[in-house]
Structures are given as structure tokens and as C-alpha cells.
Amino acid sequence: MKRMVQASAPVMWMRGGTSKGGYFLASDLPQDTEARDAFLLRVMGSPDPRQIDGMGGADPLTSKVGVVRKSTREGIDVDYLFLQVFVDQAIVTDAQNCGNILAGIGPFAIERGLVAATGDETRVAIFMENTGQVAVATVQTPGGTVTYAGDARIDGVPGTHAPIPLEFRDTAGSSCGALLPTGKAVDVIEGVRCTLIDNGMPCIVFKAEDVGASGYETREELESEAFAPIREKIEAIRLAAGPLMNLGDVKAKSVPKMTLVAPPRHGGAVTTRVFIPHRAHASIGVLGAVTAATACLVEGSPAAEVAVVPEGRVKTLSIEHPSGEMSCVMTMGETGEVETAALLRTARKLMDGVVFA
């Protein structure tokens, strides 16, 4: 007997950072996970490379979902569950966070009445259900109303918008149980020196030159037929590293992300090219950037060998990517560990209404 799919749900479609997707109240979605996923696949139009019969934009960066509920946790305003809806596979996964979609959670929570505005700025404490970590977003609320207009600019997004600073707390080992799940700065996998690391996003960081790349390729070059042998090498590393990172068999998972690093070219700390995990990222994810920045601070790691790292306890590391850069402000602890990471994002409400499956 064919399972009935929920017909519709209220939704706000938003751009968060350099991603885009649907923001739902948890109470508006089916409570059964299988039914929820079936609904979201229909909403996005997956599986289909064009997602022509849904709202997805034929790209992993525009096939995302944020699910939000009022939190009962002390000191937390809302709980946020991120769901990645695959484009060309019938998969919905909660195996990772998304710091870009996170940028829209604070505004969405205020717009939906889950959080009351507190003045010209409203801080929203967000529990990230995927990994159990906390982020605090500062939302511009002049006159008690969310505004998306402002002078903040982020690479990968045209124009300017209201700033949404994000501060991350206790993100080390978000999915893997430890910042360095193998306990080592370097593991040699498929003959390549890699850092297996998780500071909010499970990533495998290695020098681009060690897999035959330059690290300065365009997204189109990374996805070209000529690059196929290198992509196959990168995927072999990913599959071998999954169990080492306590992620198990990652063949059908969206993590770990694959991060190629090279010396900076535009005054930043390091240049990155990221696979998420099979498509090339147009920029870099928020938590992927935090994790890449952290890798630059791990003594003896491939990233540290190519990075330009500033002095001081508070370090601003500019992570260069195909669309520009993302600056991470890293505060170091007494023993050299990363205590907090903060960065600037923006978001914009695109549509508020009802979506049909």
C-alpha cells in the first residue's frame, strides 16, 4: 500500500549565508521521520538532477531545510535541526550541521514568535540538534522587528544585508567525538597526508598538491571530466577515513567534507577547495570554514604547513575560497586549544507561505 505524503505545510524560504532552503516549525512537519523525509523529498523535487518538480535549486547548497522549535533547555531559545535533502538521490540526512542555514534561524525564530525582540539587537541562543552544540546569533531588530537590510557584505552573495554575527561554543568533536578523532595531527590515507578533524563539521584536510591539484581551480574545473581521476582519489580517501572518524560507512553520507588546502593568494590565511562531499562547493560552509581554520592551528598538520597564521591569542583567519573569503575569529585557550570561533553571516527572507508536496 502506497504511503500517503502530507499535502502541504507553512514554510519560510530564506537565504542563509551562501545557502538557501526551507525553514519550518517542527510542529508543521510530520512527526514520523520517514513521513517527514518523504514530504521534504517531494517539496524539493528529489531525486532529480534538475529538481524540476520541486523547490530545490538543483544544487546541494539550495536543497536544505531548517527545522525549528521552542527550546526547553536552560539558557537556550530554540532548537535547530538541519536536514540536507540530496538532489539526485532519495536521501534526507541529519548527519551534519549547516552554519549557513544557521544564519537564518535567529530571524526565523523571531518572525515566528518563538523569540521576542529585545531592542535594536536580539541575541538568539540556538541549540544545534545535529551535534549538540550551541551557537548565538545576533539579529538586527530595530523597533522590535527583524530587518534584513544593512551594509554587511559576505563573499558569494551579491549586495549588502543586515549583519548576523554567529558565535560558536564547544564545537570540537561535534560528530566525531573529538577534535582529532584519531588523536593525531596527520594520518596517511591512500598515500596522502591528511588531518581528520571536526570542529563543528567533520572534514578531511589535505594539501591540494598531494592529490595532483593546485588548490586554485574553479568550481567548473573541479567538476570537469579532466578532474575525474583526482575526484576518484579524493573519494577513496573519504571512504577509508569514515570509520577512522567514528562515522562508520560514509558511502551514502554527506560527511566528511573534503578540504583541499594551498598557500593563500589574496592576503588570507589559507586557500581552500571543498567537496561536499562529491560536488564542488561554490564557496565554503560556515562550520567547514571554522574547521579549516582550526586545522591551520594544529601543529604539524598539512594546513599548518601552507597557512599564514597571525600571532596573538585572538586570531582572525581569512579562509579563501572560489567566491572570495570567509573570516573566522578564533580565540585560543591557555593551552593552545580553540576556545571560541565567531564569524559574520547574513540572511534574507525570500518567501513566506505554504509549500505543497
Side-chain angles (χ1 to χ4, degrees):
M1 183 176 176
K2 188 175 180 180
R3 173 184 289 269
M4 295 295 293
V5 177
Q6 179 171 313
S8 64
V11 68
M12 187 178 292
W13 223 262
M14 301 181 76
R15 175 190 59 77
T18 54
S19 293
K20 185 166 58 176
Y23 289 67
F24 295 86
L25 292 176
S27 57
D28 289 331
L29 289 174
Q31 300 308 297
D32 174 74
T33 299
E34 187 176 343
R36 179 202 67 192
D37 292 353
F39 174 75
L40 293 176
L41 287 166
R42 288 279 296 166
V43 165
M44 288 296 184
S46 299
D48 171 30
R50 294 189 301 156
Q51 292 183 316
I52 194 65
D53 198 36
M55 297 291 290
D59 189 295
L61 301 182
T62 57
S63 188
K64 298 184 173 187
V65 169
V67 182
V68 185
R69 72 183 79 231
K70 183 78 173 177
S71 184
T72 59
R73 306 170 198 273
E74 185 176 354
I76 303 297
D77 295 306
V78 294
D79 295 342
Y80 151 53
L81 176 69
F82 170 69
L83 298 172
Q84 177 71 61
V85 182
F86 278 49
V87 174
D88 54 0
Q89 300 180 63
I91 296 174
V92 178
T93 177
D94 63 359
Q96 65 180 78
N97 270 328
C98 179
N100 276 305
I101 292 298
L102 172 68
I105 297 298
F108 175 76
I110 298 169
E111 294 246 27
R112 284 289 190 260
L114 301 182
V115 177
T118 57
D120 288 345
E121 289 186 344
T122 302
R123 287 170 62 84
V124 182
I126 303 163
F127 180 81
M128 296 179 283
E129 292 187 41
N130 302 73
T131 55
Q133 271 73 42
V134 174
V136 178
T138 302
V139 182
Q140 303 301 302
T141 52
T145 303
V146 175
T147 182
Y148 300 94
D151 297 326
R153 184 186 302 275
I154 62 172
D155 286 332
V157 177
T160 63
H161 303 84
I164 303 177
L166 298 174
E167 177 187 330
F168 297 97
R169 302 173 182 171
D170 302 323
T171 51
S174 63
S175 299
C176 300
L179 178 70
L180 301 172
T182 67
K184 296 184 286 186
V186 178
D187 288 276
V188 179
I189 303 175
E190 296 289 319
V192 177
R193 296 174 66 251
C194 303
T195 299
L196 312 185
I197 186 168
D198 172 14
N199 196 13
M201 179 63 69
C203 294
I204 301 173
V205 184
F206 50 93
K207 292 181 184 177
E209 64 180 20
D210 287 348
V211 293
S214 70
Y216 308 109
E217 289 86 356
T218 65
R219 189 187 195 191
E220 292 70 29
E221 288 171 332
L222 294 172
E223 295 194 337
S224 69
E225 187 61 32
F227 208 82
I230 297 176
R231 289 198 302 273
E232 291 173 6
K233 177 75 168 180
I234 292 171
E235 179 65 359
I237 294 170
R238 194 179 80 88
L239 295 178
L244 300 177
M245 299 181 75
N246 302 316
L247 297 172
D249 182 355
V250 298
K251 186 174 182 179
K253 294 183 179 179
S254 57
V255 290
K257 310 300 188 188
M258 308 303 289
T259 306
L260 291 68
V261 294
R265 277 191 168 177
H266 304 291
V270 70
T271 292
T272 60
R273 295 295 185 267
V274 179
F275 285 92
I276 54 172
H278 305 123
R279 294 287 302 274
H281 204 306
S283 54
I284 188 171
V286 168
L287 292 162
V290 169
T291 300
T294 306
C296 293
L297 304 175
V298 175
E299 186 175 351
S301 72
E305 292 170 359
V306 300
V308 177
V309 178
E311 297 292 331
R313 180 168 177 264
V314 179
K315 308 174 187 291
T316 299
L317 276 68
S318 171
I319 309 301
E320 298 178 1
H321 55 73
S323 303
E325 69 85 37
M326 187 182 299
S327 291
C328 300
V329 180
M330 317 293 283
T331 302
M332 311 301 291
E334 296 290 335
T335 58
E337 78 283 3
V338 175
E339 277 189 350
T340 64
L343 40 75
L344 176 68
R345 295 280 84 190
T346 68
R348 187 166 81 87
K349 179 170 66 172
L350 304 175
M351 183 279 295
D352 192 359
V354 176
V355 69
F356 295 88

